[in-house]
Amino acid sequence: MADKDGDKRPSNFIRNIVIRDLESGKHDTVITRFPPEPNGFLHIGHAKSIVLNFGLAAEFGGRCHLRFDDTNPTKEEQEYVDAIMEDVRWMGYDWGEHLYYASDYFDQFYDYAEQLIKMGKAFVCDLSQEEIRRYRGTLTEPGKESPYRNRSIEENLDLFRRMRAGEFKDGERVLRAKIDMASGNLNMRDPVIYRIMHVPHHRTGDKWCIYPMYDFAHCLSDAIEGITHSICTLEFEDHRPLYDWFLDELKTPCHPQQIEFARLNLTYTVLSKRKLIRLVEEGHVDGWDDPRMPTISGMRRRGYPPAAIRDFCERIGVAKKESVVDVALLEHCVRDELNRTAPRRMAVLNPLKVVIENYPEDLVEEMDAVNNPEDPSYGTRKVPFCREIFIERTDFMEDPPKKFYRMAPGREVRLRYAYIVTCTGFSKDPETGEITEVRCKYDPETRGGNTPDGRRVRGTIHWVSARHAFKAEVRQYDRLFREPYPGMGGADFMESLNPDSLEILEGCLLEPSLKYAEPGSMWQFERLGYFCVDTRYSKPQAPVFNRTVQLRDTWAKIEKKLAQQQGGGKKGGSKKNKKKKGR
Ligand code: ATP
Ligand code: MG
């Protein structure tokens, strides 16, 4: 029952537990669940949990339920339910008919609560929230018993039924489990299991004015659904004794095993719904699916393929110890996937005009360009070439250093898929000093980029035909936060926001075939990076592109080295330079 043949998937301690339980016959199948609370959009941390839960179920022929943990009506909305379902599906997973809502079990939870009362294991408490907190004690001091703890079963039942019937105001009474106020585990000190909230619920409407607490609802939901392995994050480790207590006391038909793992933390990223909500509500981003957001919908809009996110989640593994993963690893997985799958195109983001003086005025040649060097099945396409082209402004230097292998006066450079040209001159705006035009001559013998005499031309640059290219908007994203650990040391995470995380380039010039690129489609712009057609701002024949991720830039490395050699080798300095370069 262990690994499938040839499966190179790295194991982890949870997978090992599952394998052991199947081998020992404790279970004959594996049933997991992904239990989001519909109070926000899913983020990359949830993706880790999704990949783990759905992945285990798929690997061992079991199933994974999608269960909305909708026990708190004040923060939950249908919009979130819909978005979560879309995101899980997009990630490539299918819960089949196993879509559940904790709110579907409200009647059963209520019956279980009455059962606890009848067993003398739960009581109605009239202390205020504040008093309950004070009575609970601390890690070093035991708690104090509530004066209402020894109410009779009859009185408790009567009060609980009246709580349900709506006789009391919010906060006036709660139902608590009667466990142990001296327990070393604070969660076991008579935890609240029901509270009064006169708030309608997005699914049950006005039917209930008492709602169960997470610790009570979650274990029971797992048991009702016959979950075998209830996988959650480490902060629930101290809740496990309570999870087990409810299921043991109530003798539920099955007793799932709760297993905790370390949540995902990422550098330069915040992954708490509370913080993400603030970014959205205070308008720092353009909604939950802003391409800079670490949400699944944001990453989708940004152009991250689901396969790359799954790959990332597999690579980071599953551990018991908290750690922070470098966001560069996620970007690496995205590049890896897109390198294999994204067709190549040429696009010039900051155009500089080049006139090829010895090229005939009216001639247009169709150059053969390879669509994906990683996969010949992508074929080739024709790219029009003529006397005037545009190149990237950063691909020309008036007075270049030695290792600059691009266009510069007197130097030869290869135009991708076209000819080798030699720069013969340039014009400058006398006032601003900006280069306005570059002149070249081409060598007609070098079509396709080869030199008949075998001379070596090191640099190859991309270009678009001035007559055929079309103008488009390209949105370049940088990290949303400037610091690797936003909000560290008690600072407000908002203070680390990067004010330059979005740069909109209006006058980009793109190869004509991109005009018909479908919203959501992903491309490599040669030498620049991966780009995806934005699903919100694009119009027919007027695509807007989002930069998904940059390609690695060897020039940036050389530049960094140079800067260091020149004594300016401060850390971070090179990063600034790199950012400027694209402009
Ligand atoms: P947040 O901290 O963002 O508010 P949450 O835990 O409140 O997250 P839920 O909707 O309750 O969000 O989470 C659903 C599932 O996803 C839970 O099992 C939770 O443990 C898991 N999960 C949430 N955040 C992460 C994370 N960063 N890494 C791994 N799993 C996570
Ligand atoms: Mg939660």
Side-chain angles (χ1 to χ4, degrees), residues 90-332:
W90 178 79
M91 284 284 297
Y93 298 106
D94 184 6
W95 51 88
E97 67 221 39
H98 300 285
L99 171 66
Y100 302 105
Y101 294 83
S103 57
D104 289 345
Y105 310 136
F106 279 174
D107 284 299
Q108 289 169 79
F109 295 159
Y110 180 84
D111 290 344
Y112 276 124
E114 282 211 352
Q115 216 173 300
L116 278 182
I117 295 173
K118 288 175 191 158
M119 292 157 61
K121 301 274 183 181
F123 65 100
V124 172
C125 182
D126 302 357
L127 293 179
S128 69
Q129 211 180 340
E130 176 48 37
E131 286 166 324
I132 290 177
R133 196 173 319 127
R134 256 190 289 126
Y135 274 61
R136 192 166 52 192
T138 63
L139 284 174
T140 48
E141 285 167 53
K144 209 166 75 179
E145 291 189 354
S146 161
Y148 305 98
R149 196 173 199 261
N150 295 314
R151 277 178 163 150
S152 69
I153 289 174
E154 292 68 35
E155 189 184 1
N156 280 321
L157 260 187
D158 174 60
L159 285 171
F160 188 49
R161 287 175 183 166
R162 285 164 59 196
M163 276 169 66
R164 178 189 184 168
E167 280 190 35
F168 309 117
K169 290 199 290 287
D170 286 7
E172 216 177 311
R173 294 200 156 87
V174 293
L175 183 71
R176 297 175 70 177
K178 195 191 278 190
I179 309 181
D180 178 7
M181 288 309 287
S183 170
N185 184 334
L186 291 175
N187 295 302
M188 301 299 273
R189 295 185 186 169
D190 294 3
V192 173
I193 58 181
Y194 263 94
R195 57 194 160 160
I196 301 172
M197 284 168 111
H198 290 271
V199 177
H201 184 279
H202 76 115
R203 286 179 60 83
T204 57
D206 289 326
K207 179 171 174 192
W208 297 90
C209 62
I210 56 172
Y211 292 95
M213 300 300 286
Y214 174 88
D215 282 324
F216 186 63
H218 199 83
C219 56
L220 291 174
S221 305
D222 283 348
I224 291 166
E225 292 174 20
I227 300 299
T228 56
H229 301 84
S230 175
I231 301 167
C232 62
T233 37
L234 275 183
E235 68 271 24
F236 294 105
E237 195 168 24
D238 291 343
H239 297 240
R240 187 172 0 113
L242 184 54
Y243 184 104
D244 290 332
W245 187 88
F246 284 127
L247 298 188
D248 287 340
E249 293 295 332
L250 289 166
K251 302 196 174 47
T252 48
C254 87
H255 188 139
Q257 180 184 2
Q258 175 179 307
I259 309 168
E260 310 86 14
F261 70 100
R263 61 173 47 227
L264 170 67
N265 301 297
L266 263 189
T267 55
Y268 298 96
T269 311
V270 299
L271 286 184
S272 129
K273 275 187 256 180
R274 192 175 47 76
K275 292 179 180 167
L276 297 176
I277 284 175
R278 259 189 80 189
L279 289 170
V280 173
E281 287 183 349
E282 294 177 18
H284 301 290
V285 294
D286 178 21
W288 284 98
D289 67 347
D290 185 298
R292 291 165 293 179
M293 288 283 272
T295 50
I296 294 181
S297 53
M299 294 188 289
R300 174 165 63 236
R301 242 184 100 193
R302 175 90 174 244
Y304 286 19
I309 301 173
R310 290 195 302 265
D311 179 35
F312 169 74
C313 293
E314 302 269 356
R315 287 200 214 193
I316 55 176
V318 179
K320 206 62 189 172
K321 196 168 155 282
E322 288 285 349
S323 65
V324 185
V325 175
D326 193 331
V327 73
L329 176 60
L330 175 60
E331 290 162 358
H332 173 79

Side-chain angles (χ1 to χ4, degrees), residues 565-578:
Q565 281 162 10
Q566 286 158 11
K570 274 178 285 173
K571 274 191 191 155
S574 61
K575 205 183 147 201
K576 257 190 208 141
N577 293 345
K578 193 169 154 193

